[in-house]
Amino acid sequence: MNKKNLFSMYYFPEKSSQHTMKDLINKGKEEVTNILWQENPEIKELLSNSGDIEETRKAFLNYLKKQESKLCSNDSETPESQVPSSRKRVARDSIRIARNFIQAENEQLSNFSALKKLIQLARDTNHTEEVTKGFLTEFIYLFRSIKGCPTILDSGITDDKEQNSLEEYIRQRTKELNLYSNTIDTYTQRYRTGYEEEIISKRESLRQKILEYFNAGEAEWNDYQWHIEHIIEDRKTLSQLVKLEKDEEEGLKAAEEYDIPVQVTPYYVSLFNSEGRCEWDRAIRAQVIPSSYYCQKVYENQQKGGDMDFMGEKWTSPVETI
């Protein structure tokens, strides 16, 4: 069997990879559960036979580590080596997501164990009613991507398609993407934007307050170097510009205690709601104000000498410090 056939057999299973979201929605939960295990029988076997939840967690992490190693391997005889680089990137991202959802600390934070539910499903079909079809579908696509065959990149096209088939696929794919785009627009319109007059007014008022605080004017505000020179690094200064919530105060105190840097430019502070956290600035604040739990975990990890590069950015660094 040549490499191309080996790749096609391994990464384009005739049945499982043909299930679209529309197909899955119209199926019953038991059938969707069976499809889940068809996507990655190795994971089902692991979940079924690995002992208690902690043993299973370790076994799952080892499986993910091995799968990542296979995708990074230079062994040209393995199916994983034939995966295109674009799919390898998606597979690595999916492996990272899988690691996150099975971490015990994340289960404690969310008060929910997806791993426990998967173990129950793998060992006893009577637990199907305890999960939603959306839960099952999410893991179908995740298990598929871990293998290196994400649905959005497959879409039924292989290298030996005729040119006219490819053109037809492109037309159909364009229609699909337009539909996705319209759906996304419908949902995003539910959220407020920075172009609304009320929000513009609030941000302008806060901007003036910031300029007065630093005794600066329009020329300084429009100079990026001024913003860099006046980065806000302490809780006291930030609290004088905007109202901080109790948990934000605690997070900033923890950052000071554990010597974890917090840096916010004046412009970014102007995006806050000055009267306190609200629905439309919640995510903005979360980008720069750490939680006390996060600070504690960073400190503990530093004490243990752990790797803080959780996004694997050092592997894509063109030069040192970048």
Side-chain angles (χ1 to χ4, degrees):
M1 180 178 291
N2 61 38
K3 294 177 185 177
K4 183 176 179 181
N5 289 338
L6 184 65
F7 169 77
S8 298
M9 180 184 72
Y10 190 81
Y11 287 100
F12 294 97
E14 291 184 4
K15 293 182 180 179
S16 61
S17 65
Q18 299 302 315
H19 293 293
T20 65
M21 181 65 75
K22 187 181 293 186
D23 293 334
L24 294 170
I25 289 172
N26 293 324
K27 294 181 184 298
K29 266 202 284 190
E30 287 191 11
E31 190 174 359
V32 175
T33 303
N34 290 332
I35 293 170
L36 170 67
W37 303 130
Q38 289 172 14
E39 285 297 339
N40 203 316
E42 190 173 356
I43 290 179
K44 183 183 181 184
E45 183 178 354
L46 180 156
L47 295 173
S48 300
N49 303 311
S50 296
D52 64 22
I53 188 168
E54 293 308 319
E55 289 179 5
T56 306
R57 196 189 313 278
K58 291 178 183 178
F60 206 150
L61 288 169
N62 285 333
Y63 162 78
L64 294 173
K65 183 177 180 180
K66 290 177 182 177
Q67 186 63 19
E68 190 169 33
S69 296
K70 289 178 183 178
L71 289 163
C72 297
S73 172
N74 292 322
D75 184 355
S76 60
E77 296 303 318
T78 63
E80 289 83 4
S81 67
Q82 306 301 313
V83 179
S85 58
S86 59
R87 292 179 187 169
K88 284 185 178 181
R89 285 195 296 271
V90 176
R92 286 195 291 268
D93 287 343
S94 299
I95 289 169
R96 177 173 57 82
I97 291 169
R99 284 198 185 103
N100 284 339
F101 87 74
I102 63 175
Q103 293 290 347
E105 62 180 348
N106 290 335
E107 292 179 349
Q108 293 171 2
L109 279 173
S110 63
N111 197 29
F112 176 79
S113 174
L115 178 60
K116 183 177 180 180
K117 289 297 178 186
L118 288 171
I119 293 171
Q120 291 173 340
L121 287 169
R123 299 180 184 182
D124 186 354
T125 56
N126 291 328
H127 290 282
T128 304
E129 293 305 315
E130 298 176 16
V131 297
T132 65
K133 199 183 296 184
F135 176 91
L136 297 168
T137 304
E138 286 281 354
F139 281 101
I140 285 173
Y141 285 97
L142 183 63
F143 289 176
R144 187 180 296 173
S145 295
I146 286 171
K147 295 187 298 184
C149 48
T151 303
I152 196 166
L153 294 175
D154 289 348
S155 301
I157 290 296
T158 55
D159 293 338
D160 56 359
K161 291 284 186 181
E162 296 294 335
Q163 182 63 31
N164 59 350
S165 298
L166 180 58
E167 291 172 357
E168 177 59 26
Y169 161 73
I170 291 170
R171 284 192 290 270
Q172 292 300 321
R173 184 61 178 153
T174 301
K175 290 180 181 178
E176 286 182 20
L177 294 176
N178 284 338
L179 178 61
Y180 295 154
S181 176
N182 291 336
T183 303
I184 291 169
D185 284 343
T186 299
Y187 280 98
T188 55
Q189 285 171 12
R190 299 180 300 174
Y191 302 100
R192 306 191 71 175
T193 76
Y195 294 106
E196 295 181 26
E197 290 185 7
E198 180 187 354
I199 294 180
I200 290 173
S201 176
K202 284 178 176 290
R203 287 180 174 173
E204 175 60 24
S205 176
L206 181 53
R207 185 173 76 98
Q208 290 302 322
K209 182 179 180 180
I210 295 169
L211 286 173
E212 290 173 10
Y213 181 88
F214 288 109
N215 193 27
E218 290 296 320
E220 286 84 1
W221 188 263
N222 294 320
D223 182 359
Y224 77 92
Q225 291 180 327
W226 179 85
H227 286 272
I228 293 174
E229 291 167 0
H230 291 80
I231 283 176
I232 299 162
E233 300 179 289
D234 62 289
R235 174 170 49 92
K236 181 180 178 182
T237 301
L238 189 58
S239 64
Q240 289 177 333
L241 296 172
V242 296
K243 178 185 175 183
L244 296 173
E245 304 299 329
K246 183 180 178 181
D247 62 306
E248 293 176 324
E249 290 269 8
E250 292 171 351
L252 292 168
K253 286 179 182 178
E256 293 171 2
E257 179 184 351
Y258 296 122
D259 196 26
I260 296 171
V262 174
Q263 298 181 323
V264 196
T265 64
Y267 166 74
Y268 197 85
V269 175
S270 75
L271 304 179
F272 285 24
N273 179 46
S274 61
E275 291 85 16
R277 184 174 59 208
C278 65
E279 184 178 359
W280 59 263
D281 82 330
R282 182 178 298 274
I284 292 171
R285 288 170 176 251
Q287 291 289 325
V288 291
I289 301 179
S291 68
S292 58
Y293 178 85
Y294 169 83
C295 293
Q296 180 184 350
K297 289 303 177 181
V298 168
Y299 174 75
E300 290 174 359
N301 200 49
Q302 288 174 339
Q303 296 302 108
K304 295 175 183 177
D307 186 358
M308 295 301 296
D309 184 22
F310 57 88
M311 293 183 69
E313 293 175 326
K314 65 186 175 185
W315 301 112
T316 57
S317 175
V319 294
E320 188 177 355
T321 76
I322 300 297

